[in-house]
Amino acid sequence: MKTIIITKGIEYRWLRDIFPGRHPLLVTLCNKPFIEFLIDFCILAGSTGIRIISDEVMSDVEKHCENGSRWGVEISYANLLPTDNVQKVIEKNSRFCSNERVMVINGLLFIHYDKRSDYRSFFASLPVGEVIECSNGNISLTGAASGAEHQEGAPPLSLPVVDGIDKYYRLAAGILHERLTHYVLPGYNNEPDCFIGRNVVLQKGVSVIKPVIIGNNVQILAGSIIGPGAIIGSNVIIDRESRVSESIVMDNTFIGEQLDVDRKIAEGSLLIDPESGCSLTMEDPHLLSGIKQPTTTGSALQWLAHRIAAAWMIMILLVPYLVIKPFLEWSGLLKTKKIVYHSVIPGENVSLTFASIEKKSVLGTIALFLSLDRFTWLFKVLNGHFALIGCRPVRTDQTIQAANNNLGLYRPGVFSYSEAEKWPENDIDSDIVDHYYAVHSNFIKDISMTQKALFNRINQESSI
Amino acid sequence: MTIIEKNINNFSIVSLRGILNASSAPQLKTHFEQSPENQPVVIDLEQVDFLDSSGLGVLVGIARKKKAASAVFKLANLNERVKKVFEITQAYTLFDIYDDLAAAACE
């Protein structure tokens, strides 16, 4: 048997809003990513191949699950259009399905199952059609049954509706209190109701009250009380004399000293009350904050090249800018307005003077030829808010696509890659080019693309 | 780049082989300019070794023209390299992508 897992972005928008830094399929439930529960279930049901299909970027999921060798199954990935129905998806993936029995998990579902039950013969014996459904989606079967008989009664199988933070919390609490033995969960489990990950440091005087799940690389400082009902993620520090009970502390979170976290979800500097859905962002990093992961230094050379090139352009263009600008303003060919854009630094904004020059006179032509409308933007490259060439900057009244933000595809530039290519006709085309070069660029390519962008701008009638 | 065209079920199956980049993109563009705009087309990308943004640009342009002429336009057999480019650029949102040529060439 094979399995197709279909998820559409619109189904998990709420998860993106609450946990913006990660793909919804990688949001953890009891320290286990959502997708791993689905993969475990597919394997229990007898699947040898799993295809994860989404209408959104899945690079993070692909990086996490790879080809499935960790589970002994073959995992592949495909995309669909938001308008595609199940039948269309099966048609588009007909080579993968190849006349075999296929289980279709349609929707971002959490499946209640029990790892000790026999799902293999159960699914092999079921007729074609829907097996189970909930408001989040359904599980169905296509392809002929193998003819195998299922001897026992139907194994436990249900689909709890998870469509909000309150239900997410109740689901996690339910697993922790009642179903810990039903799933394979990460961590050492030498005694019941207690899972502890690698590299966990419990200082003197720490109390751990079961049931509890603790992730990897966790430091719990002296005098803290963890549990009952605590789920502590990975890379977490809980400072001294704090108490965490009936709560979820997500990965990469710091809990300050002498805090009492009860029936809450802590994610970075965000504290959520799951019952009311209210959330509070802590400004004081000593109380609650995110733990930053080290960033790669691979792009350092690229940024250095951008800064040197920007400094060189400033030196070259300074005199023309100072001479031509007053004349353009006087003749009304230069119009300026302030616009605030998202910076490349997450959470920061940058205010820029958006200048539009019309190519009606010799001076206007020269100004456009020299890209003087972007002159003041070059200083933002020096302070690291902008790249010399990158994607088109997004105004703060617009939202950066979450997927792009996560993948590091948002790198606004003084000049955009789409200006360097001649084919883009609309914003979608420009996005394609910007995304392509955001991934495939290097500092040598960036310099040649900047030259192309400068050259293409010469032919523009105006800089608007 | 080599372009091989054949007909299956009234679909024009265009198989591309080699590199689809800025230098070979005009060749593909010219090929489609010579064929009727309302002809249903499936492009087989299995043998494409490299695809860059200019190559994508031509595919987007062809898709746009076919849509304007209400003609069916599908892509099939994307290999891992090509699939990666479609994923990164999110260009998959503009195309009907099939993993099997025979399935794509069905009404």
Side-chain angles (χ1 to χ4, degrees):
Chain A
M1 188 171 80
K2 288 183 173 173
T3 300
I4 286 178
I5 299 171
I6 304 169
T7 57
K8 291 184 180 174
I10 197 152
E11 295 162 357
Y12 47 63
R13 195 70 67 216
W14 65 273
L15 262 172
R16 277 232 190 261
D17 293 341
I18 297 164
F19 306 114
R22 64 192 83 180
H23 191 286
L25 284 171
L26 298 178
V27 168
T28 54
L29 191 69
C30 296
N31 286 351
K32 186 176 170 109
F34 228 84
I35 186 68
E36 290 190 18
F37 283 99
L38 291 175
I39 292 170
D40 282 359
F41 177 72
C42 296
I43 294 166
L44 278 174
S47 286
T48 52
I50 300 168
R51 177 158 287 184
I52 304 168
I53 305 171
S54 173
D55 58 352
E56 289 199 336
V57 178
M58 283 191 296
S59 305
D60 289 352
V61 179
E62 210 169 329
K63 206 170 165 185
H64 180 83
C65 301
E66 295 176 328
N67 62 0
S69 58
R70 206 186 328 162
W71 292 275
V73 286
E74 201 176 304
I75 297 180
S76 56
Y77 308 85
N79 295 111
L80 79 161
L81 298 177
T83 50
D84 287 346
N85 57 22
V86 172
Q87 192 52 44
K88 186 82 175 170
V89 172
I90 291 171
E91 203 178 289
K92 283 185 172 181
N93 293 276
S94 54
R95 185 187 281 187
F96 172 78
C97 299
S98 62
N99 299 326
E100 276 193 53
R101 165 145 276 214
V102 177
M103 175 168 70
V104 181
I105 299 176
N106 183 19
L108 186 74
L109 303 177
F110 182 81
I111 305 166
H112 270 319
Y113 59 86
D114 187 341
K115 67 184 181 191
R116 296 160 297 191
S117 302
D118 175 21
Y119 291 89
R120 187 181 292 259
S121 61
F122 175 67
F123 274 93
S125 65
L126 287 175
V128 170
E130 190 174 272
V131 178
I132 188 168
E133 68 160 342
C134 74
S135 59
N136 286 151
N138 61 6
I139 299 176
S140 58
L141 288 166
T142 65
S146 68
E149 281 189 21
H150 183 67
Q151 301 295 337
E152 305 159 21
L157 183 68
S158 62
L159 300 179
V161 177
V162 190
D163 55 8
I165 194 67
D166 53 334
K167 289 176 181 160
Y168 166 85
Y169 173 79
R170 266 180 248 149
L171 181 62
I175 293 172
L176 184 62
H177 287 282
E178 295 159 22
R179 296 170 185 261
L180 271 180
T181 54
H182 289 207
Y183 307 100
V184 177
L185 292 173
Y188 297 107
N189 177 222
N190 288 339
E191 50 185 291
D193 298 335
C194 182
F195 288 81
I196 296 184
R198 296 187 304 271
N199 192 24
V200 173
V201 178
L202 304 177
Q203 280 193 356
K204 198 176 172 184
V206 168
S207 298
V208 176
I209 306 165
K210 296 190 289 187
V212 72
I213 301 175
I214 300 174
N216 300 327
N217 309 317
V218 174
Q219 289 185 48
I220 300 169
L221 304 189
S224 293
I225 303 168
I226 306 300
I231 300 168
I232 312 292
S234 293
N235 308 316
V236 168
I237 299 171
I238 294 174
D239 213 340
R240 65 186 182 90
E241 294 171 20
S242 286
R243 184 187 173 110
V244 180
S245 57
E246 301 298 339
S247 295
I248 303 169
V249 179
M250 303 298 282
D251 295 352
N252 309 314
T253 301
F254 167 78
I255 302 280
E257 66 179 62
Q258 294 179 331
L259 282 186
D260 192 353
V261 182
D262 184 45
R263 294 176 194 281
K264 298 283 183 291
I265 299 173
E267 154 82 350
S269 58
L270 194 71
L271 196 66
I272 305 165
D273 178 31
E275 291 305 321
S276 64
C278 294
S279 61
L280 185 72
T281 304
M282 295 285 189
E283 295 291 335
D284 184 354
H286 299 291
L287 287 176
L288 188 73
S289 67
I291 297 172
K292 284 182 183 166
Q293 294 295 297
T295 51
T296 54
T297 53
S299 61
L301 190 63
Q302 198 170 4
W303 277 105
L304 183 67
H306 281 226
R307 282 177 174 153
I308 291 169
W312 182 81
M313 284 181 76
I314 288 169
M315 282 193 293
I316 298 289
L317 298 175
L318 183 62
V319 173
Y321 179 76
L322 292 175
V323 172
I324 294 172
K325 190 194 166 200
F327 287 103
L328 287 174
E329 280 177 332
W330 176 73
S331 58
L333 293 175
L334 174 72
K335 293 183 182 104
T336 57
K337 59 178 173 179
K338 286 267 181 197
I339 298 180
V340 184
Y341 294 101
H342 290 284
S343 163
V344 72
I345 304 163
E348 288 194 24
N349 299 329
V350 55
S351 176
L352 290 174
T353 306
F354 183 82
S356 61
I357 299 171
E358 287 179 41
K359 202 178 177 180
K360 282 180 182 166
S361 67
V362 178
L363 278 181
T365 308
I366 295 170
L368 269 181
F369 182 81
L370 297 171
S371 286
L372 294 184
D373 54 326
R374 306 275 171 91
F375 178 76
T376 54
W377 295 27
L378 292 168
F379 293 94
K380 302 296 176 190
V381 181
L382 300 183
N383 63 17
H385 282 290
F386 265 43
L388 182 61
I389 189 159
C391 65
R392 289 162 306 146
V394 177
R395 294 201 313 249
T396 46
D397 56 356
Q398 297 166 330
T399 318
I400 306 169
Q401 282 183 37
N404 298 347
N405 212 4
N406 294 349
L407 293 168
L409 295 184
Y410 182 68
R411 199 188 62 177
V414 174
F415 304 101
S416 72
Y417 292 118
S418 52
E419 284 176 313
E421 293 257 4
K422 284 184 176 168
W423 68 267
E425 286 178 21
N426 55 26
D427 285 350
I428 298 169
D429 295 359
S430 299
D431 283 344
I432 288 174
V433 175
D434 286 345
H435 292 162
Y436 179 86
Y437 284 103
V439 174
H440 292 96
S441 69
N442 55 46
F443 74 95
I444 295 168
K445 203 176 267 181
D446 279 354
I447 289 167
S448 78
M449 292 299 281
T450 307
Q451 286 173 343
K452 277 188 190 174
L454 283 166
F455 185 76
N456 286 349
R457 296 190 85 239
I458 294 169
N459 299 321
Q460 286 181 0
E461 281 306 308
S462 78
S463 63
I464 301 168
Chain B
M1 186 183 62
T2 316
I3 302 172
I4 302 162
E5 189 167 1
K6 60 184 174 185
N7 269 289
I8 300 176
N9 297 339
N10 206 27
F11 275 85
S12 167
I13 310 291
V14 178
S15 301
L16 309 181
R17 188 171 295 175
I19 292 169
L20 182 52
N21 62 2
S23 58
S24 57
Q27 186 191 348
L28 185 63
K29 196 176 176 184
T30 311
H31 180 90
F32 277 95
E33 278 167 357
Q34 290 162 355
S35 63
E37 282 192 352
N38 58 356
Q39 168 72 45
V41 170
V42 178
I43 297 190
D44 179 2
L45 296 168
E46 191 166 26
Q47 304 290 326
V48 172
D49 300 321
F50 177 78
L51 174 72
D52 76 353
S53 65
S54 301
L56 260 179
V58 174
L59 293 176
V60 170
I62 298 165
R64 198 161 281 148
K65 277 184 186 161
K66 291 289 175 191
K67 197 176 177 185
S70 304
V72 177
F73 180 72
K74 298 172 181 177
L75 302 179
N77 283 343
L78 275 66
N79 61 44
E80 285 306 314
R81 288 181 297 274
V82 172
K83 208 186 272 183
K84 206 64 158 178
V85 175
F86 275 80
E87 164 99 6
I88 287 163
T89 58
Q90 293 163 44
Y92 59 81
T93 54
L94 303 175
F95 300 96
D96 262 328
I97 300 172
Y98 287 70
D99 73 346
D100 185 56
L101 193 59
C106 285
E107 291 293 347

